[in-house]
């Protein structure tokens, strides 16, 4: 073992022996000792910024970086091998079957996810690292239930999404402190696979989630520089695409690209988390009330402004402006309903490609053909960097517009309650993405459901019928919806549903919503792995 490093769980012993070698643990310890204090200071800065927003100071473009935004000459790195054409990207967790199916889907890239579509049990994390290593080495084929799963000759390019800066990996400590979940996920993948990736003509590519400030991007860039030197590969080999999925980050797109410019592969519209963040960051602003989730579409003013600004910013700096996720999945037993759902996908992808996006996200392999056809017909080259969108003029007031047509309905409340209960129950059980009513729900969509319920109860919003929403009203809906959760999410266990029910009832009564449900519920995963959770606020 490496001095100062402790592994506090015995789950997935075989995978641990393969992945948690002394060499990688020494590297993780070096990352932790070099960057942990900066990470913690940036998390404190998030809290300071939130208190400023709560006091009524509006979000705006930072004055101290106006010179970066105004300077036309700087550009980001050219596309790395395999990232020149990203017209369709499929996303999903890192279980072995998913990895093979996604890599074989026909999509250009596969974002293998340790974040919002993955519940971070230690077994999920460690086995996921083994699966990715085996996929890169083309040694991932296996048989299950009499069916062969084999990697194709030309699989999608692999991109990894580690967890966000806010999450700890409590089952691994360095000097008696949990290592960052971000550095744990990134470090294991980078250390074990970078040389093989380069040998095969690819490289270490990442999606970076949940950032709220350009200094958080600077921290990632410093991690990349350190890591490339540590391993002994040329600087600027790594590429990273940043998800713009928090409201503060939308005001700092140029700065985020600038900090990562020699490692940048662009920005992505993380639409669901962005809606969640828009509610959470403006929690003290009664006027920022949003209607039913289904009414908060990509065409409402504040979402449209964010999309246009992202495309303009990326193409000005010669990097990819990636579109977002369509949550629809195929409806196999109802052809008419399936055609309606697939038409929504077509419409969404057509909106993205005509706006100037260079690619889009899908959640299911069978959606690839639809998304691919739309982009093939409307994007003849590998990307649309030439679409400069110089017509776009987005001001702070546009990003903060509260003009969102729609109503708050009982159906919307019931939908939010069902999604929140089903997802939280599944997550506690180790499953990070579940289909609910033919939509693929992950942590981001569950977070919208949670904070909308909080917002409506906090400010006593009224339904379209005139009835006022209170915590007691939501309690009644929870009691009525909870028995049906097993029908829409059969894998959710009764004891996990009880935990989710208590959690949701507690959340709607808080002065402010918790930052992340994944942080709140992490103690259950930690304890299930046989670790006493000393670091997280328990929700038991």
């Amino acid at each position: 073992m490496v001095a100062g490093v402790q592994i506090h769980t015995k789950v997935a012993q075989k995978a641990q022996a393969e992945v948690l070698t002394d060499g990688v643990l020494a590297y993780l310890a070096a990352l932790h000792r070099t960057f942990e204090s900066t990470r913690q200071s940036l998390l404190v800065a998030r809290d300071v910024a939130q208190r400023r927003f709560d006091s009524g100071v509006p979000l705006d473009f930072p004055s101290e970086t106006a010179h970066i935004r105004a300077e036309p000459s700087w550009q980001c790195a050219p596309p790395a091998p395999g990232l020149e054409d990203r017209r369709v990207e499929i996303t999903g967790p890192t279980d072995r079957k998913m990895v093979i199916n996604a890599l074989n889907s026909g999509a250009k890239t596969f974002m293998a996810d340790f974040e919002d579509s993955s519940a971070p049990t230690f077994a999920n994390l460690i086995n996921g690292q083994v699966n990715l290593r085996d996929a890169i080495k083309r040694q991932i084929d296996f048989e299950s239930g009499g069916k062969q799963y084999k990697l194709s000759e030309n699989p999608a390019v692999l991109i990894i999404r580690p967890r966000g800066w806010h999450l700890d990996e409590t089952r691994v400590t360095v000097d008696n402190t949990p290592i960052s979940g971000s550095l744990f996920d990134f470090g294991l993948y980078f250390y074990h696979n970078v040389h093989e990736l380069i040998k095969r003509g690819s490289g270490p590519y990442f999606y970076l989630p949940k950032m709220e400030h350009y200094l958080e991007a600077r921290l990632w860039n410093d991690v990349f520089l350190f890591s490339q030197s540590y391993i002994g590969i040329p600087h600027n080999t790594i590429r990273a695409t940043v998800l713009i999925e928090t409201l503060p980050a939308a005001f700092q797109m140029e700065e985020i690209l600038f900090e990562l410019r020699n490692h940048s592969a662009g920005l992505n519209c993380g639409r669901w988390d962005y809606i969640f963040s828009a509610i959470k960051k403006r929690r003290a602003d009664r006027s920022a009330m949003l209607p039913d989730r289904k009414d908060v579409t990509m065409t409402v003013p504040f979402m449209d402004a964010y999309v246009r600004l992202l495309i303009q910013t990326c193409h000005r700096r010669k990097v990819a402006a990636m579109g977002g996720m369509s949550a629809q999945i195929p409806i196999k037993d109802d052809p008419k309903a399936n055609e309606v759902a697939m038409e929504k996908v077509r419409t969404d992808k057509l909106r993205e490609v005509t706006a100037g996006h260079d690619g889009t996200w899908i959640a299911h392999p069978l959606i690839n053909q639809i998304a691919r056809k739309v982009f093939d017909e409307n994007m003849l080259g590998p990307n649309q960097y030439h679409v400069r969108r110089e017509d776009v003029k987005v001001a702070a007031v546009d990003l903060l517009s509260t003009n969102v047509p729609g109503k708050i309905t009982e159906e919307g409340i019931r939908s939010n309650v069902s999604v929140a209960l089903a997802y939280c129950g599944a997550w506690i059980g180790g499953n990070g993405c579940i289909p609910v009513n033919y939509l693929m729900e992950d942590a981001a969509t569950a977070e919208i459901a949670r904070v909308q319920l909080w917002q409506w109860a906090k400010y006593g919003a009224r339904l379209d019928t005139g009835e006022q929403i209170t915590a007691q009203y939501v309690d009644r809906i929870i009691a009525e919806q909870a028995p049906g959760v097993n029908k829409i999410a059969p894998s959710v266990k009764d004891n996990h549903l009880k935990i989710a029910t208590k959690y949701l009832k507690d959340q709607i009564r808080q002065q402010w919503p918790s930052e992340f449900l994944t942080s709140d519920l992490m103690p259950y995963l930690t304890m299930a792995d046989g670790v006493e959770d000393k670091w997280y606020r328990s929700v038991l």
Side-chain angles (χ1 to χ4, degrees), residues 90 92-105 110-114 127-136 140 142 149-152 155-156 158 160:
I90 189 169
T94 57
D95 62 274
R96 208 165 182 87
K97 180 179 173 183
M98 176 69 202
V99 169
I100 292 176
N101 287 343
L103 289 172
N104 289 349
S105 67
F110 167 42
M111 188 203 76
D113 193 17
F114 289 104
N127 287 324
Q129 293 283 352
V130 170
N131 295 338
L132 297 176
R133 179 204 65 189
D134 290 351
I136 291 165
I140 195 173
F142 76 107
Y149 292 89
K150 290 184 170 238
L151 207 57
S152 67
L158 201 52
I160 306 306

Side-chain angles (χ1 to χ4, degrees), residues 173-359:
T173 58
V174 178
D175 305 329
N176 298 313
T177 305
I179 189 172
S180 153
S182 302
L183 296 182
F184 183 78
D185 299 339
F186 163 82
L188 288 180
Y189 179 78
F190 179 79
Y191 183 92
H192 285 299
N193 301 301
V194 61
H195 292 298
E196 186 71 20
L197 286 163
I198 293 170
K199 185 175 82 174
R200 291 178 177 272
S202 186
Y205 306 147
F206 299 91
Y207 257 108
L208 305 180
K210 303 287 192 293
M211 282 196 274
E212 298 189 14
H213 199 279
Y214 65 83
L215 292 178
E216 297 179 21
R218 182 179 296 176
L219 176 56
W220 268 119
N221 198 67
D222 289 344
V223 168
F224 295 163
L225 292 171
F226 176 94
S227 298
Q228 289 164 142
S229 295
Y230 189 99
I231 295 293
I233 63 170
H235 281 189
N236 311 333
T237 302
I238 292 172
R239 288 292 188 277
T241 308
V242 173
L243 289 133
I244 300 298
E245 54 186 354
T246 69
L247 190 58
F251 291 86
Q252 302 183 31
M253 295 186 203
E254 294 259 21
E255 293 86 345
I256 287 168
L257 286 179
F258 183 79
E259 293 294 345
L260 284 159
R261 60 193 180 280
N262 293 324
H263 296 113
S264 180
L267 304 176
N268 175 291
C269 285
R271 60 175 75 171
W272 306 118
D273 265 305
Y274 188 74
I275 296 169
F276 161 51
S277 178
I279 299 169
K280 184 174 64 170
K281 290 300 167 186
R282 304 182 71 187
R283 64 192 189 181
D285 185 354
R286 180 188 290 267
S287 73
M289 191 93 63
L290 293 179
D292 284 358
R293 170 185 154 192
K294 67 177 174 54
D295 293 327
V296 188
T297 66
M298 297 305 294
T299 59
V300 303
F302 84 97
M303 295 297 285
D304 178 59
Y306 143 77
V307 167
R308 289 184 292 117
L309 181 59
L310 184 142
I311 294 168
Q312 181 191 54
T313 302
C314 287
H315 290 176
R316 188 180 185 212
R317 306 305 180 183
K318 292 290 190 287
V319 283
M322 300 302 297
M325 173 68 76
S326 288
Q328 287 81 11
I329 57 176
I331 305 172
K332 296 179 180 177
D333 54 357
D334 188 336
K336 287 186 178 179
N338 185 64
E339 182 50 39
V340 170
M342 295 306 100
E343 187 54 38
K344 288 181 180 178
V345 174
R346 286 186 199 95
T347 302
D348 184 56
K349 302 315 175 192
L350 184 60
R351 175 193 56 77
E352 288 184 325
V353 72
T354 53
H357 278 297
D358 302 295

Side-chain angles (χ1 to χ4, degrees), residues 384-397:
Q384 301 195 87
Y385 296 1
H386 59 281
V387 179
R388 297 291 296 273
R389 292 305 306 265
E390 290 172 351
D391 58 305
V392 170
K393 300 285 186 288
V394 172
V397 67

Side-chain angles (χ1 to χ4, degrees), residues 55-122:
S55 73
V57 177
L59 284 94
D60 206 346
F61 299 96
S63 58
E64 75 272 15
T65 52
H67 63 287
I68 291 174
R69 297 192 297 276
E71 174 54 57
S73 64
W74 66 268
Q75 293 183 354
C76 294
L83 298 182
E84 301 88 351
D85 185 336
R86 301 168 62 182
R87 64 190 60 217
V88 180
E89 298 188 330
I90 189 169
T91 75
T94 57
D95 62 274
R96 208 165 182 87
K97 180 179 173 183
M98 176 69 202
V99 169
I100 292 176
N101 287 343
L103 289 172
N104 289 349
S105 67
K108 290 288 188 178
T109 78
F110 167 42
M111 188 203 76
D113 193 17
F114 289 104
E115 203 229 2
D116 271 5
S117 66
S118 180
T121 67
F122 207 64

